[in-house]
Amino acid sequence: MKNIVILGSGAGSNAENIVHYFKDHPSIRVASFVANKAEAGMVARAEKLGIPCKVFGRDAFYDTHSVVDFLQGIETDLVVLAGFLWLIPQELIKAFPNRIVNIHPALLPKFGGKGMYGSKVHQAVIEAGEEESGISIHLVNAHFDEGEILRQEKIKLDSAETAGSLEGRIRVLEHRFYPIVIEQLLARSSG
Ligand code: GAR
């Protein structure tokens, strides 16, 4: 079995969707969630879904080896970021080279970088008068939103588009494509 661990800070809709996608998969399973605060929506979702969930605070994340130790201890094959707010420490990137993947709710390299998260991204896209937006699924390196792009999917903005409507339409794309790219990535790494 290949083990996925999903890191998040927020509501956890992508994390839950990925759990459902791999529920009966013959060779891939979601082994655990990792959240950076106990109040994150994904903590409650983990309980509902019967998925183990670890919470690591900022000190544990940046000043100790505990996250790498935890991930290696449960034989993690792929680290999946789903709405994870913090920069991934160099130590974690070194421990999982090309095995950390992120999803961003816009067409990188536009509308990425520090602070560009969730609804702020959609607001910025609307304010910039963009004609299209989409999703970017990419490998993670030491900089926010800058690793190799694995897949992008685009949509045209409607004339009456709002940040809220765009967020909903983007979420549909995220749920449709993120599990597929994860599956392809794990097939590639075993091949
Ligand atoms: C998702 O839209 C994801 O693309 C975004 O946070 C949201 C989390 O939603 N990530 C970023 O903005 C990363 N810069 P979820 O918790 O419901 O999956």
Side-chain angles (χ1 to χ4, degrees):
M1 263 303 176
K2 297 267 185 187
N3 288 321
I4 297 171
V5 175
I6 305 176
L7 272 61
S9 312
S13 77
N14 278 282
E16 174 161 357
N17 177 62
I18 293 164
V19 169
H20 290 311
Y21 184 89
F22 290 108
K23 194 167 175 288
D24 297 314
H25 198 282
S27 58
I28 298 171
R29 69 179 187 131
V30 177
S32 183
F33 288 179
V34 167
N36 63 356
K37 52 181 183 210
E39 316 78 60
M42 68 182 299
V43 176
R45 284 198 206 240
E47 197 170 337
K48 181 187 81 178
L49 294 163
I51 300 286
C53 184
K54 283 283 269 190
V55 177
F56 290 101
R58 191 171 276 280
D59 292 349
F61 205 77
Y62 289 108
D63 299 335
T64 73
H65 296 284
S66 49
V67 177
V68 170
D69 289 347
F70 170 72
L71 293 171
Q72 288 176 338
I74 60 169
E75 300 188 346
T76 303
D77 294 287
L78 188 69
V79 178
V80 172
L81 308 186
F84 191 68
L85 261 179
W86 294 347
L87 193 64
I88 297 298
Q90 197 58 248
E91 187 204 7
L92 194 49
I93 291 167
K94 277 202 194 116
F96 293 93
N98 293 326
R99 288 190 291 141
I100 308 178
V101 64
N102 183 41
I103 189 160
H104 186 76
L107 297 171
L108 293 173
K110 286 171 119 178
F111 305 105
K114 191 167 165 47
M116 286 304 250
Y117 174 82
S119 54
K120 283 189 190 161
V121 178
H122 306 301
Q123 193 63 48
V125 168
I126 298 285
E127 280 168 13
E130 293 291 303
E131 289 181 358
E132 60 180 16
S133 190
I135 59 168
S136 303
I137 299 169
H138 65 95
L139 294 176
V140 170
N141 66 18
H143 307 281
F144 275 113
D145 302 325
E146 282 187 16
E148 179 195 342
I149 291 175
L150 303 170
R151 183 156 186 166
Q152 289 188 308
E153 294 291 329
K154 297 179 184 176
I155 48 171
K156 289 252 172 279
L157 268 60
D158 293 333
S159 53
E161 197 83 58
T162 63
S165 67
L166 185 55
E167 185 166 18
R169 292 174 69 208
I170 293 285
R171 180 147 295 131
V172 172
L173 286 183
E174 293 190 322
H175 289 185
R176 177 158 168 219
F177 290 104
Y178 205 13
I180 294 171
V181 174
I182 290 166
E183 194 172 20
Q184 287 168 344
L185 205 51
L186 282 166
R188 187 170 98 178
S189 64
S190 66

